[in-house]
Amino acid sequence: MFCTNCGEQMQDGQAVCTKCGFAKDTGNKYCGNCGAEIQPQQAVCTQCGCVVNEAKKQAEANKASAGDQVGGQDKIVVILVAIFIGTLGIHNFIMGETKKGVFKLVMSLVGGWFCGLGVLVSLILTIMDIVKIASGTYVVDPDKLI
């Protein structure tokens, strides 16, 4: 086992390199398996074939799975909430869009007394939200009203 920051050989079970002070597997200059120098963008060591920069690969995998979320919440959950109680703006509250959620709530509750016009506006906005969320084009903005 080698330090991935300075290339110094480390003992099994050693958590910190005694030469440079970096924690195990926190550097990206040397292969942790053979100690060969590597480039930061390398995914595999050219000396031994060992996978390097595992943290970078994990971050990329997490970024790819972030496509299943909107506003930090699971996309399917937000869509289901929008379908069932979206005219009240609950899905906007879940995603952190408080202003838009309050606007829809007021339009649905107060606007419902005036020939249902407020509910219709809220329903149209909710359908637009559902389509955008499902297609992955929804941009969460806490400051937007509509």
Side-chain angles (χ1 to χ4, degrees):
M1 175 171 64
F2 292 84
C3 175
T4 55
N5 182 60
C6 70
E8 185 74 16
Q9 187 162 7
M10 296 174 63
Q11 302 296 321
D12 289 338
Q14 191 174 341
V16 177
C17 176
T18 55
K19 181 180 178 188
C20 68
F22 270 65
K24 177 184 172 189
D25 298 329
T26 56
N28 64 353
K29 298 176 186 173
Y30 295 89
C31 175
N33 186 52
C34 70
E37 190 172 353
I38 58 170
Q39 299 300 315
Q41 67 273 13
Q42 270 183 261
V44 177
C45 175
T46 56
Q47 289 291 106
C48 68
C50 183
V51 175
V52 292
N53 294 328
E54 193 63 39
K56 184 186 281 188
K57 292 176 115 184
Q58 185 62 37
E60 289 172 2
N62 289 344
K63 190 175 181 180
S65 69
D68 297 338
Q69 293 192 345
V70 62
Q73 303 296 324
D74 185 68
K75 186 187 288 189
I76 301 298
V77 171
V78 174
I79 290 173
L80 288 174
V81 169
I83 288 171
F84 291 108
I85 50 177
T87 56
L88 297 176
I90 305 301
H91 65 286
N92 296 108
F93 288 111
I94 291 173
M95 294 186 294
E97 296 179 325
T98 308
K99 290 179 182 177
K100 189 172 182 179
V102 169
F103 177 76
K104 284 185 180 178
L105 187 62
V106 169
M107 289 298 286
S108 291
L109 298 179
V110 176
W113 294 331
F114 300 105
C115 302
L117 185 62
V119 177
L120 181 63
V121 169
S122 185
L123 179 64
I124 291 170
L125 292 174
T126 300
I127 292 170
M128 289 170 49
D129 287 350
I130 292 169
V131 170
K132 287 180 181 179
I133 292 168
S135 67
T137 60
Y138 192 90
V139 177
V140 176
D141 182 4
D143 292 325
K144 71 180 173 183
L145 188 59
I146 295 179

